[in-house]
C-alpha cells in the first residue's frame, strides 16, 4: 500500500493495533474460501456464510479461526451455525476467534460452513463516499479481514477465494478474480459472483460495492485492465487510471508474468493512499486528479508481484512488499523520465530515512512488535527497503540484479518468502556472498553518519563514521579538480582520502549510497 497521499487516522491505528490474532496456524492450511455476503441499504448489518476448506498438517481436535465477536458497541460478528456437510459442528466463539470442535487427521481436507451476521467494526468499511453516496469496501491490511471474515488472518496462509455478493441492484461489484455471474433477483437485488483461483493472503482480499462508472482502457498481453470510479469523477478518473495499462506492460517485461486474470483500478474508501488488493487495487478517493497519480499507480501495480504473488512470511518482512514496491516505482519513473528522476527520488527517500532514524532506531526487519503491525508502515519498510535494493543493484550490476529479481519472483510466485529467501536468490544469481550486506543494511539499525573534514595534510580529507556500529561500504567521491569518480572502501572508524591539489570533494556524486554526511 501507499501512505504518501494519506495519513492513517489515529483512531484506526489504535483499533487495529490493539487486537491480537492467531499468528501462523501450525496445524491447518486454508485451501479455499467461499464467501457469501448479503448487503443492504437499510442497515449496516451484514449476513454471511463462509465455507472454509482446510488441509490439516497435524491431527487436530480444534480449529481456531480469527473472527472478531460481538462487542458492547453493537459491532462484531455473531456466529449462528457451523456445519460440515449436513452435520452440525460444535463451536465456541470468543472475543477475537471462533473455535470449532472437530476430529481431523493429518493430511485430511475438510470443509466447514460458518453462518454469521453483524456490523463490522473494521475491515469491511460501510460508509458514504466523498459525494455522500453509500459504499462498501474491504480494507484488510494488516490483519483486519477477521473483523468480517472467519479466517486465518496471517500473510503466511494463502488460499483461493470465491465471492457471492447479494446487494441492491443499483450497485456495481468488483472483487478479486473474474466475474462469473451477474443476475437480477426479486426485491430489486442483484447477485454477483467472482472467482479467484490464484491463492492469496487475506490482507489482499477485495470486495468493492458502489455506484461506479466503469471503463476498459485496454488489454496488456491478454490481461484486461479496468477502471472503476465514482460517476462524478468519470472523465478525469478514466484518464488518470488509464495510466495503469502502460505501467502493467512495463512490469510484465521487467519482472515476469502477471499472476492474475485481470487488473481493476478502483476509486475507494481505503484508509491508505492505495491498497494493493490482488487484481483489484483500491485507491483513495482523492487520487483522481492527484499530482502523484502515476507513481501511486506504479507502486500498487508493483505490489501485484511483491506482496501479492510473492507474500512475506510474516509482517516483520514487510519490506519485501513495501520496499520492493517503493523501488520498483522509482525504476518505472527512471524508465519513463530518465536517470535524473531516479536520483531525485532516491535523494528524497534518503532524507526521509535519515529523519526517521533520528526518531526511531530500529532495523528494517523489525521483530520488536512495538506498537503493533501498523507502525511497520514507516520509512524503514518503504524508503530504506527501497534503498537496500538500489545499493544491491549497484553492487552486483544491472544484469545480475534483474536476473536475481526475476529468479526470486519465479521461485516464490504463489508462495511466501522471507528476507533470507531473497538473499539466497540474489546470491545464486550474482555469485556473490551477501550475508554481510544484508546484515548491516536490513538487520542493523541506522545508517552510516559520515563527518568529512580537511586532514592535517592539505592534500587529504578525513572521513569518520560517527554512528556507534561501524558499517562497511564502497564510497564514491569526486574532487573538484578531477572529473573522474574515485572509489574507496570505508570500513574503519577513520579513513584518509588522498586528493592532491583539490579543495573540495563531492561525496556519492551518483546517488548510490545511503549515508548521512556532515561536512566540516
Amino acid at each position: 500500500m501507499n501512505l504518501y497521499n494519506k495519513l492513517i487516522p489515529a483512531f484506526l491505528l489504535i483499533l487495529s493495533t490493539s487486537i491480537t490474532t492467531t499468528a501462523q496456524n501450525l496445524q491447518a492450511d486454508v485451501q479455499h474460501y467461499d464467501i457469501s455476503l448479503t448487503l443492504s441499504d437499510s442497515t449496516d448489518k451484514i449476513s454471511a456464510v463462509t465455507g472454509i476448506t482446510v488441509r490439516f498438517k497435524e491431527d487436530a481436535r480444534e480449529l481456531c479461526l480469527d473472527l472478531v465477536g460481538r462487542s458492547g458497541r453493537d459491532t462484531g460478528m455473531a456466529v449462528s451455525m457451523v456445519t460440515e456437510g449436513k452435520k452440525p459442528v460444535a463451536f465456541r466463539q470468543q472475543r477475537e476467534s471462533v473455535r470449532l470442535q472437530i476430529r481431523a487427521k493429518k493430511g485430511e481436507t475438510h470443509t466447514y460452513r460458518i453462518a454469521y451476521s453483524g456490523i463490522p467494526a473494521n475491515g469491511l468499511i460501510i460508509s458514504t463516499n466523498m459525494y455522500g453516496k453509500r459504499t462498501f469496501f474491504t480494507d484488510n491490511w494488516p490483519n483486519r479481514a477477521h473483523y468480517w471474515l472467519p479466517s486465518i488472518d496471517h500473510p503466511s496462509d494463502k488460499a483461493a477465494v470465491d465471492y457471492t455478493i447479494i446487494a441492491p441492484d443499483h450497485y456495481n461489484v468488483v472483487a478479486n478474480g473474474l466475474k462469473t455471474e451477474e443476475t437480477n433477483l426479486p426485491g430489486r437485488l442483484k447477485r454477483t459472483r467472482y472467482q479467484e483461483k490464484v491463492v492469496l493472503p487475506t490482507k489482499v482480499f477485495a470486495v468493492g460495492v458502489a455506484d461506479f462508472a466503469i471503463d476498459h482502457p485496454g488489454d496488456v498481453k491478454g490481461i484486461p485492465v479496468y477502471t472503476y470510479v465514482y460517476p462524478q469523477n468519470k472523465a478525469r478518473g478514466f484518464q488518470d487510471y488509464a495510466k495503469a495499462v502502460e505501467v502493467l506492460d512495463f512490469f510484465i517485461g521487467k519482472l515476469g508474468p502477471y499472476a492474475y486474470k485481470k487488473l481493476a483500478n478502483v476509486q475507494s474508501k481505503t484508509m491508505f493512499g492505495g491498497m494493493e488488493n490482488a487484481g483489484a487495487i483500491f485507491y483513495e478517493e482523492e487520487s483522481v486528479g492527484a499530482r502523484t497519480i502515476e507513481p501511486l499507480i506504479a507502486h500498487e501495480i508493483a505490489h501485484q508481484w511483491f506482496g501479492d504473488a510473492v507474500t512475506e512470511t510474516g509482517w516483520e518482512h514487510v519490506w519485501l512488499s513495501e520496499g520492493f514496491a517503493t523501488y520498483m516505482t522509482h525504476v518505472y519513473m527512471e524508465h519513463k523520465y530518465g536517470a535524473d528522476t531516479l536520483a531525485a527520488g532516491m535523494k528524497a527517500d534518503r532524507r526521509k530515512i535519515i529523519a526517521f532514524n533520528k526518531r526511531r532506531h530500529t532495523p528494517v526487519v523489525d521483530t520488536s512488535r512495538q506498537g503493533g503491525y501498523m507502525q511497520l508502515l514507516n520509512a524503514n519498510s518503504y524508503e530504506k527497503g527501497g534503498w537496500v535494493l538500489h545499493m544491491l543493484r549497484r553492487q552486483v550490476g544491472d544484469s545480475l540484479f534483474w536476473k536475481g529479481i526475476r529468479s526470486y519472483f519465479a521461485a516464490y510466485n504463489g508462495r511466501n518468502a522471507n528476507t533470507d529467501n531473497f538473499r539466497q536468490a540474489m546470491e545464486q544469481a550474482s555469485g556473490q556472498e551477501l550475508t554481510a550486506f544484508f546484515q548491516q543494511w536490513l538487520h542493523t539499525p541506522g545508517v552510516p553518519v559520515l563527518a568529512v573534514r580537511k586532514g592535517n595534510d592539505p592534500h587529504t580529507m578525513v572521513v569518520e563514521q560517527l554512528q556507534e556500529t561501524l558499517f562497511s561500504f564502497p564510497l564514491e567521491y569526486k574532487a573538484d579538480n578531477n572529473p573522474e569518480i574515485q572509489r574507496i572502501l570505508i570500513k574503519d572508524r577513520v579513513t584518509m582520502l588522498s586528493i592532491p591539489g583539490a579543495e573540495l570533494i563531492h561525496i556519492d556524486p551518483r546517488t548510490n549510497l545511503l549515508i548521512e554526511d556532515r561536512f566540516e
Side-chain angles (χ1 to χ4, degrees):
M1 77 282 302
N2 189 296
L3 298 179
Y4 302 143
N5 302 319
K6 196 163 191 175
L7 295 176
I8 301 173
F11 77 91
L12 279 177
L13 280 171
I14 294 168
L15 180 61
S16 61
T17 56
S18 64
I19 62 169
T20 58
T21 64
T22 10
Q24 270 171 287
N25 191 312
L26 301 179
Q27 289 185 309
D29 178 13
V30 179
Q31 305 294 295
H32 182 262
Y33 292 92
D34 186 359
I35 302 169
S36 296
L37 289 177
T38 299
L39 308 174
S40 171
D41 274 340
S42 61
T43 176
D44 289 350
K45 184 177 182 179
I46 66 170
S47 297
V49 178
T50 294
I52 304 178
T53 301
V54 180
R55 181 179 61 82
F56 286 90
K57 296 180 280 188
E58 303 290 344
D59 293 353
R61 295 291 187 93
E62 181 178 77
L63 175 62
C64 182
L65 298 172
D66 300 318
L67 182 67
V68 173
R70 295 293 297 274
S71 73
R73 294 179 297 168
D74 200 31
T75 60
M77 299 296 106
V79 176
S80 57
M81 181 182 297
V82 181
T83 56
E84 183 179 11
K86 295 183 179 180
K87 296 180 180 179
V89 175
F91 65 91
R92 291 183 296 118
Q93 189 166 11
Q94 299 177 318
R95 187 168 68 93
E96 294 173 5
S97 65
V98 57
R99 295 178 177 271
L100 313 188
Q101 308 307 305
I102 62 171
R103 289 182 178 273
K105 297 288 187 181
K106 180 180 179 179
E108 290 182 346
T109 298
H110 293 255
T111 298
Y112 307 101
R113 294 183 67 78
I114 301 170
Y116 57 101
S117 61
I119 299 174
N122 205 328
L124 175 57
I125 310 303
I126 302 173
S127 182
T128 55
N129 67 16
M130 61 198 296
Y131 298 104
K133 301 297 184 180
R134 187 168 171 82
T135 60
F136 307 76
F137 287 105
T138 56
D139 206 24
N140 293 330
W141 201 96
N143 54 358
R144 292 186 290 143
H146 74 295
Y147 278 97
W148 65 275
L149 176 68
S151 57
I152 297 178
D153 200 7
H154 191 273
S156 65
D157 198 301
K158 304 178 75 168
V161 58
D162 286 3
Y163 301 97
T164 300
I165 310 298
I166 296 176
D169 61 6
H170 64 92
Y171 290 120
N172 291 299
V173 177
V174 63
N176 311 108
L178 293 178
K179 185 190 296 185
T180 60
E181 180 189 344
E182 190 172 70
T183 303
N184 288 321
L185 303 175
R188 304 192 69 177
L189 298 175
K190 183 169 60 178
R191 179 175 60 231
T192 309
R193 299 185 193 272
Y194 277 82
Q195 182 179 65
E196 178 54 84
K197 295 181 179 180
V198 178
V199 295
L200 310 175
T202 53
K203 67 172 184 166
V204 293
F205 280 15
V207 176
V209 181
D211 296 323
F212 287 119
I214 303 171
D215 190 30
H216 177 199
D219 293 355
V220 179
K221 295 177 173 59
I223 306 297
V225 178
Y226 299 106
T227 295
Y228 291 72
V229 295
Y230 305 149
Q232 298 87 343
N233 295 130
K234 178 178 177 179
R236 184 61 186 267
F238 285 179
Q239 175 185 332
D240 283 354
Y241 285 14
K243 292 176 170 55
V245 173
E246 182 181 357
V247 175
L248 180 62
D249 186 58
F250 171 76
F251 282 132
I252 289 175
K254 198 71 175 175
L255 304 174
Y258 179 71
Y260 312 107
K261 296 296 185 182
K262 73 145 193 316
L263 174 62
N265 297 279
V266 184
Q267 187 179 18
S268 80
K269 287 287 290 184
T270 178
M271 66 188 280
F272 306 106
M275 181 60 220
E276 63 269 17
N277 305 311
I281 299 169
F282 287 0
Y283 300 92
E284 66 170 332
E285 293 183 314
E286 296 82 1
S287 63
V288 174
R291 180 180 54 84
T292 55
I293 186 63
E294 188 172 35
L296 173 62
I297 287 172
H299 183 102
E300 302 309 330
I301 292 180
H303 268 307
Q304 305 298 297
W305 281 261
F306 303 112
D308 294 4
V310 180
T311 305
E312 60 273 21
T313 55
W315 287 286
E316 65 272 23
H317 299 285
V318 73
W319 84 276
L320 293 172
S321 175
E322 298 302 343
F324 271 64
T326 299
Y327 190 59
M328 295 306 157
T329 301
H330 288 310
V331 169
Y332 172 76
M333 300 299 280
E334 175 191 25
H335 154 77
K336 188 165 182 181
Y337 300 105
D340 288 348
T341 300
L342 172 65
M346 300 313 297
K347 288 176 182 177
D349 284 0
R350 185 164 58 189
R351 290 191 292 270
K352 292 180 183 178
I353 297 163
I354 291 169
F356 177 78
N357 185 60
K358 295 180 189 304
R359 302 192 305 270
R360 178 168 177 163
H361 199 59
T362 53
V364 172
V365 181
D366 184 0
T367 59
S368 67
R369 301 287 194 274
Q370 294 178 8
Y373 301 128
M374 281 288 186
Q375 59 81 27
L376 293 173
L377 302 182
N378 57 42
N380 270 353
S381 300
Y382 285 76
E383 287 85 2
K384 189 174 180 183
W387 253 101
V388 170
L389 293 174
H390 184 60
M391 291 187 292
L392 183 60
R393 178 184 175 188
R394 295 302 187 237
Q395 175 162 318
V396 305
D398 257 34
S399 176
L400 294 179
F401 175 79
W402 291 112
K403 176 185 177 182
I405 293 292
R406 288 189 290 268
S407 296
Y408 167 68
F409 170 71
Y412 292 98
N413 182 13
R415 301 171 56 199
N416 293 88
N418 61 29
T419 301
D420 278 344
N421 297 142
F422 175 59
R423 174 183 57 79
Q424 291 159 5
M426 295 305 297
E427 286 180 339
Q428 185 173 3
S430 68
Q432 295 186 23
E433 166 60 51
L434 297 171
T435 301
F437 178 93
F438 275 65
Q439 179 61 39
Q440 76 173 9
W441 293 114
L442 292 167
H443 298 281
T444 303
V447 301
V449 181
L450 304 185
V452 183
R453 61 182 183 272
K454 278 281 192 178
N456 293 330
D457 185 318
H459 301 297
T460 62
M461 283 276 186
V462 177
V463 178
E464 181 181 1
Q465 295 196 58
L466 300 181
Q467 78 285 350
E468 182 178 350
T469 302
L470 293 179
F471 280 63
S472 177
F473 50 87
L475 177 68
E476 293 183 339
Y477 65 96
K478 185 168 68 173
D480 62 354
N481 64 342
N482 184 353
E484 297 294 322
I485 293 176
Q486 308 297 313
R487 185 181 175 99
I488 189 171
L489 178 65
I490 302 291
K491 59 183 178 63
D492 300 318
R493 179 67 64 186
V494 176
T495 304
M496 302 293 292
L497 306 183
S498 176
I499 51 166
E503 291 295 325
L504 297 171
I505 61 170
H506 183 190
I507 294 291
D508 188 34
R510 297 191 292 187
T511 318
N512 288 332
L513 184 63
L514 178 55
I515 54 168
E516 178 184 356
D517 52 32
R518 300 177 183 175
F519 282 89
E520 296 178 13

